[in-house]
Amino acid sequence: MTHLGLIGVGVMGASFAQNLAENGHAVSLLDRDISKAQAVADAGADLAGDLIVCEDAQALINSLPQPRSILVLVPAGGPLDTVIDMLIPLLSQGDLIADLGNSNYLKTQERVARVEAAGLQFLGMGISGGAKGARIGPSIMAGGSKDSWARVQGPLRDASAKFEGEACCNWFGPGGSGHFIKMIHNGIEYADMQQIAETYGIMRDGLGMDATEIAAVFKSWMKGPLNSYLIEIAAEVAAAIDPKTSQPILDLILDKAGQKGTGRWSVIEALHLGAPASLMMAAVEARNISANKEGRTEMQAAFGASPVAMGAALGSRQEAIDILENAMIAAKVCAYVQGFEVLKRASDAFSWDLDLAAIARVWRAGCIIRSVFLDEISGVFDAGGHSNLALAPIFRDRLMATTPDLQRLVGAGVMHGQQVPALFAALGYHNMRRTGNSTANMIQGLRDYFGAHTFERIDDLGQAVNGPWHNTSK
Ligand code: 6PG
């Protein structure tokens, strides 16, 4: 039994405290609203471990054995810094603060430095799985002080999701590495969700299918390589009926997507690292455009609606659905190739020495992107496979088999005005990535012409030279 502190009993904090108690651990609870902490303790009275309500930070600290370990589940940003500022003067040498929120990894790096300068330890941990996951077993990605990880890994592994008995919970490296990994998890989550929205759109607007028919298609995809939590819940979202109107609830949901920032951060960091992340970018842009409903409605009045029925452009309905499934498989491979490339670039740039196989393993259960696919990815990395997943035989073969359908779908989709930015981005990326002889020679020529930026000649590599235009009077 371990005794931990936990600050912030909102939905995630309450669920995680009860999860820890269910696993026999004692948890001292603190919240600005003591009645919330009391409610969590009351609801968990029958659990194996104790849930102890504390009236203030000092009481929480007094209740914990030294060195103390305190988990913080408050909103990222200002509220988290307020809690850290409150704890620093009260804690003793070697005590640990662990942030389990969706913090920006750069902020986590700063917090590690600030907390360690005060003689304390800090862990930045991404946890995925939503409130339900926090209660029954999330996926946990930790970074920061390795010594302190040894102290809390027992209870966190107990509380985490298990894949075939293996805890989906690990420490990956120093500083903000845990939150970086969680950020990329969310970037991939954005890309997966956008592909689901695009295939839904083709079925709805291109093939004229209703929500119930679309739900059946998503359900059928659970039998193939797309088997994943997000496809499973896409089927449930499409099938759900609104009790008030007896219509599919999906038809009544306003088409303005929210976002809290992790997808955008993923794209920004990928750009900084020079790693392609076009599917995440397409997904973030699609959410941005969706948010401007008024602007879209105004444009539709001026230009007419974009998507038009696709008729038999993709063959029979079943043929079209098979093409959609294959297109999504191809695009999904591209999204994961990109996601793991960003992680590899970050690992090299920041000397984190990230274990890509271990990352894929903690994503196999508990988290939002959990899927059969991730088990295959971990298998590739575990076998010492290429860090470019597209070159691992299982994904290379799959990509080769499905790319023709991605081409068919994107081609027909574009011709019929469908909304397919992520599928389009996947194809554009794959086309460029598989081309040994690109068109960047023209870019280099232009750069040299207007700015004398120089280029290398293919017949004289290693030498920076100028083109003949610099010898003319132009
Ligand atoms: C998870 C989710 C979780 C949360 C996202 C949603 O892994 O459990 O990703 O972190 O649902 O913050 O992010 P958006 O609001 O940006 O879609």
Side-chain angles (χ1 to χ4, degrees), residues 76-90:
L80 171 64
D81 284 319
T82 304
V83 169
I84 294 172
D85 291 340
M86 171 184 79
L87 289 174
I88 285 178
L90 301 176

Side-chain angles (χ1 to χ4, degrees), residues 129-281:
K132 192 170 171 204
R135 180 65 186 85
I136 63 172
S139 165
I140 300 178
M141 297 139 253
S145 153
K146 190 165 191 185
D147 295 346
S148 46
W149 173 246
R151 236 157 61 200
V152 290
Q153 64 166 327
L156 293 177
R157 282 186 200 280
D158 289 347
S160 74
K162 309 289 178 303
F163 182 87
E164 294 175 355
E166 190 182 332
C168 292
C169 171
N170 215 335
W171 175 90
F172 290 99
S177 57
H179 276 137
F180 191 97
I181 293 166
K182 174 61 174 36
M183 176 187 77
I184 297 301
H185 165 283
N186 281 27
I188 294 173
E189 174 186 301
Y190 272 53
D192 276 350
M193 289 167 71
Q194 180 59 26
Q195 289 164 57
I196 290 172
E198 291 177 18
T199 49
Y200 156 68
I202 298 231
M203 287 190 267
R204 185 189 70 180
D205 304 327
L207 307 178
M209 294 166 64
D210 66 28
T212 312
E213 292 170 321
I214 292 169
V217 172
F218 284 134
K219 201 165 173 205
S220 73
W221 289 353
M222 287 297 286
K223 298 194 193 100
L226 294 175
N227 181 315
S228 60
Y229 172 69
L230 282 169
I231 291 286
E232 182 188 339
I233 65 170
E236 289 182 16
V237 167
I241 299 296
D242 171 42
K244 203 162 116 197
T245 61
S246 303
Q247 289 179 53
I249 188 74
L250 188 54
D251 294 343
L252 299 170
I253 298 177
L254 182 65
D255 58 329
K256 285 168 82 165
Q259 54 181 314
K260 298 201 196 78
T262 45
R264 184 171 61 240
W265 300 342
S266 299
V267 173
I268 292 169
E269 294 311 324
L271 288 172
H272 280 311
L273 291 162
S278 50
L279 280 101
M280 296 180 203
M281 173 112 73

Side-chain angles (χ1 to χ4, degrees), residues 415-435:
M415 291 306 292
H416 291 82
Q418 302 296 322
Q419 306 165 63
V420 286
L423 296 168
F424 189 88
L427 187 59
Y429 163 75
H430 185 51
N431 282 344
M432 285 199 71
R433 200 69 156 76
R434 64 192 282 202
T435 299

